[in-house]
Amino acid sequence: MTLTLVINDDPLLRAGLRLIIESADGLRAHDTGTAEALAEARRCRPDVALLDLPARATGDFALLRDLLTLPNPPRLAVLSSPSVDKYVLPALRMGAAGYLLKGTSPEELVASVRALAAGNTVLSGLAASQLMSELEDEMQDADASSTARRMTASLSAREHEVLAMIAEGLSNADIGRRLMLGTGTVKDCVSDIFTKLGVANRVQAAVIAYRARLPRSHSPTPHAA
């Protein structure tokens, strides 16, 4: 059973999000305001956290950091509106595993919670486009590319291949199917990559892969029997 902590200072909104999440099989949810969020996260140890990021985001970035430095941090996604899109990249760089818009449909919200719980990254179209725009700019920066190439030099050939697939947006299960490896083996490999690169999540790893200009994987995906 996956537990999601909904963090929002609007009791009506967070109750609505909780009801949407709990309408799906295998999902449970608690909700709390920002002032009590850290204590509640310590108490219930959620698998996933959805953090509202309003226009006054300074204090909430501190909360985001505090949540991500818990002993067993949740997979955290920021829930925001297009009016505060300038916070997309700072939140992802701090270690958020996703960025969703408040207009996300109930079906998309449930799918995003499941994806987060499975270890994947979820991005709204806005967040994805902003991330790609910045990456395109950074790929023109020789210093950033050189630094990224030095960071990836410590990776094995298999880890380079897996990192390239992370940058393509593939899940551990998808990578396993391409490489004909068990999901557990891929998970261990991804963990080793994160440790060597000093990153907290797949978005940060993908940024380094793009900066290093790693070639896209051409490994065939096995056909189902």
Side-chain angles (χ1 to χ4, degrees):
M1 186 72 71
T2 297
L3 176 62
T4 299
L5 182 62
V6 178
I7 305 168
N8 194 295
D9 284 331
D10 183 337
L12 189 60
L13 178 58
R14 71 183 191 235
L17 293 172
R18 188 191 73 240
L19 290 173
I20 290 171
I21 294 168
E22 291 193 325
S23 69
D25 292 339
L27 301 183
R28 293 188 300 127
H30 291 324
D31 65 272
T32 182
T34 55
E36 305 81 22
L38 192 59
E40 184 65 12
R42 288 193 177 108
R43 184 191 68 80
C44 68
R45 298 181 181 181
D47 304 291
V48 173
L50 298 179
L51 173 63
D52 178 49
L53 196 64
R56 49 168 190 79
T58 303
D60 295 277
F61 272 114
L63 176 56
L64 187 154
R65 182 174 57 251
D66 290 343
L67 289 166
L68 292 175
T69 53
L70 287 171
N72 294 294
R75 295 280 298 168
L76 189 149
V78 167
L79 188 64
S80 189
S81 62
S83 63
V84 291
D85 57 5
K86 62 183 177 181
Y87 298 126
V88 171
L89 294 174
L92 294 174
R93 291 189 186 282
M94 287 182 68
Y99 200 101
L100 303 172
L101 295 181
K102 290 181 180 177
T104 299
S105 70
E107 295 80 11
E108 290 174 321
L109 179 65
V110 168
S112 295
V113 168
R114 294 192 191 280
L116 288 164
N120 296 323
T121 298
V122 294
L123 297 175
S124 69
L126 169 68
S129 64
Q130 284 199 324
L131 182 62
M132 292 307 300
S133 176
E134 177 159 308
L135 289 175
E136 287 173 3
D137 291 340
E138 288 186 348
M139 286 178 70
Q140 308 306 315
D141 185 334
D143 290 338
S145 293
S146 178
T147 299
R149 285 194 292 271
R150 285 197 300 272
M151 294 174 72
T152 58
S154 64
L155 302 182
S156 67
R158 172 53 54 84
E159 288 167 345
H160 270 99
E161 193 170 19
V162 171
L163 178 58
M165 293 184 188
I166 290 173
E168 289 181 44
L170 300 185
S171 67
N172 288 352
D174 292 333
I175 294 171
R177 281 190 288 270
R178 279 204 186 182
L179 298 178
M180 292 177 281
L181 295 173
T183 302
T185 300
V186 175
K187 183 177 179 181
D188 289 342
C189 183
V190 170
S191 178
D192 289 342
I193 291 170
F194 286 5
T195 298
K196 289 181 179 180
L197 297 181
V199 300
N201 60 42
R202 300 172 92 87
V203 172
Q204 294 171 344
V207 167
I208 292 174
Y210 277 107
R211 286 175 176 169
R213 298 187 174 94
L214 289 190
R216 292 176 64 88
S217 167
H218 296 290
S219 299
T221 302
H223 294 290

